[in-house]
Amino acid sequence: MNANIRLHVEGPLGVGERIPLTAAQSHYLFSVMRCRSGTAVHLFNGSDGEWQADVTRQGRKSAIAYCLHRTAPQRMPPDLWLLFAPITKARTDFIVEKATELGVRKLFPIRTAFTPAARLPVARLQAHAIEAAEQCLGTWVPPIAPLQPLLAVLDNWPDDRRLMFCDERCRDRPDDGLDRFAAEPAGKWAILIGPAGGFSADEAERVRRLPASHPVSLGPRLLRADTAAVAAITLWQNSLGDWRRGSEPVPASDPGIC
């Protein structure tokens, strides 16, 4: 078995299930990794955990994986969203990859006053999220929503989801904004980080007026947007998420799943 090969697939996983692999996955297995028919790999689909499967080549561009047994249960990240403004291609890819690795449930690209109006390649970013989940032993791939205006997102903000607003004007210690919630279950949260040029005055004021908003500092230095995303998720996970002492894994049946 090549324990290093993990693939995200569509369709149900279970004993005896036959999973058709995509042409890209088949190429990766047999041309890049030099696998042979009968090689064992790990599969996951975001709902059935991780499964060991044998792969059989079916012609030059296709393969079938035969499920054998489950090797890990379905593990869900906390019900945490990340709202971020796309920046350069490489740095946006970085945000998506690291958010997946650190444990975010869903990603929301947002357009702000200082965000370029270019179209966002959601399918390509989703592929980056899949690759990150495959490499970090995750069994969940966060879906990436279409690009939306920030103010439209705030206008429809759910009443039951708190918003960690990474506010560069906040001068508290980074964990001060979250300490008061540490004694209770984390519940539903989102993190909002600003674009490369920061929020406009109107946008920042609108976020501060949101009842669910909780301003949090990310330290004494001004961070780039991609660095801020990693710092914010790490801070939240350590304070309220599945990194904190005594936290329990989120079951796959959690009703907060989008």
Side-chain angles (χ1 to χ4, degrees), residues 164-220:
M164 174 179 161
F165 173 35
C166 300
D167 187 355
E168 61 190 44
R169 293 192 347 185
C170 186
R171 293 293 179 261
D172 296 333
R173 283 174 45 87
D175 53 359
D176 284 349
L178 299 177
D179 276 352
R180 55 182 160 164
F181 304 107
E184 59 187 72
K188 299 179 180 181
W189 277 82
I191 294 172
L192 172 62
I193 59 170
F199 294 108
S200 70
D202 289 344
E203 289 171 335
E205 183 58 29
R206 177 69 179 84
V207 177
R208 294 187 187 101
R209 291 202 312 266
L210 189 73
S213 179
H214 300 281
V216 171
S217 167
L218 294 182

Side-chain angles (χ1 to χ4, degrees), residues 98-225:
K98 301 315 168 189
T100 301
E101 293 176 21
L102 291 169
V104 168
R105 185 75 65 89
K106 191 172 183 179
L107 295 163
F108 284 84
I110 54 171
R111 178 178 290 122
T112 71
F114 303 134
T115 304
R119 295 176 60 186
L120 187 71
V122 173
R124 182 178 63 78
L125 293 176
Q126 193 68 69
H128 279 289
I130 289 173
E131 183 177 352
E134 290 173 342
Q135 293 179 352
C136 74
L137 303 184
T139 55
W140 173 256
V141 179
I144 301 175
L147 184 66
Q148 303 171 66
L150 171 61
L151 296 183
V153 173
L154 296 179
D155 286 342
N156 295 284
W157 194 257
D159 294 335
D160 61 347
R161 186 173 296 274
R162 291 168 172 153
L163 179 64
M164 174 179 161
F165 173 35
C166 300
D167 187 355
E168 61 190 44
R169 293 192 347 185
C170 186
R171 293 293 179 261
D172 296 333
R173 283 174 45 87
D175 53 359
D176 284 349
L178 299 177
D179 276 352
R180 55 182 160 164
F181 304 107
E184 59 187 72
K188 299 179 180 181
W189 277 82
I191 294 172
L192 172 62
I193 59 170
F199 294 108
S200 70
D202 289 344
E203 289 171 335
E205 183 58 29
R206 177 69 179 84
V207 177
R208 294 187 187 101
R209 291 202 312 266
L210 189 73
S213 179
H214 300 281
V216 171
S217 167
L218 294 182
R221 288 165 291 279
L222 186 64
L223 305 180
R224 287 190 323 202

